[in-house]
Amino acid sequence: IMPSLVGSEMCIRDSSKTAAKSGTMAYDPNSLANRLCGAYPELKPYYRANIETYDRFLAEEFFDKYGTKVIIDTIRQNDKQKMKKLFNILNSVFDDGTNETQSLICVTILGKMDNDPQLIENAKAYMEDYLADPVIAVNKYLSSAAGKKAKKKLANPPLYKPKKKKKSMMSTLTCLLYTSDAADDRISV
């Protein structure tokens, strides 16, 4: 990486933070991934490969395969310095993030704590209340019977079967009108 590119990435990241804090912009999933790649450089190749593969950033795919594991490992290790760095990112991005970004943080990433009491306790010490409350609620739901059923359905979705359209009486009459002999006579005249 060229030093000039690193500098420009930092400049973009700093201007994004300022814009998000001023309310003129909200963090999107791409911004979250960028911030986390700064904290976890080992994620950068996977981030770039995700964009190259799909011609855009697919956040769910990136976090499901790579990002969430690194974050959960950090929470499991509970190293004070790493936890502060991680939750500085998650708290600020959640606070100024789009709904999609907030869902990504609560469900896709921190929902993978699977309501483990030790992981929840480790994370709770660093989460702001505005993040902790939904994260705890999501973890409780995902560990419930309904949540487990939903996760199973998401992991193995049923095949898509388009619903057969019910014909209304009016569409049936219209169809009959245009397919009758009278309609053929009118068209040929």
Side-chain angles (χ1 to χ4, degrees), residues 177-189:
L177 174 67
Y178 287 108
T179 57
S180 70
D181 292 336
D184 291 340
D185 292 341
R186 267 185 290 155
I187 294 172
S188 64
V189 172

Side-chain angles (χ1 to χ4, degrees), residues 8-18 27 34-35 38:
S8 66
E9 283 180 6
M10 289 175 67
C11 182
I12 291 168
R13 192 177 308 129
D14 291 344
S15 66
S16 295
K17 281 185 202 178
T18 304
Y27 287 115
N34 268 310
R35 299 267 319 264

Side-chain angles (χ1 to χ4, degrees), residues 160-167:
Y160 174 72
K161 295 178 186 172
K163 292 182 180 179
K164 293 182 180 179
K165 290 185 178 179
K166 293 181 181 177
K167 291 187 177 181

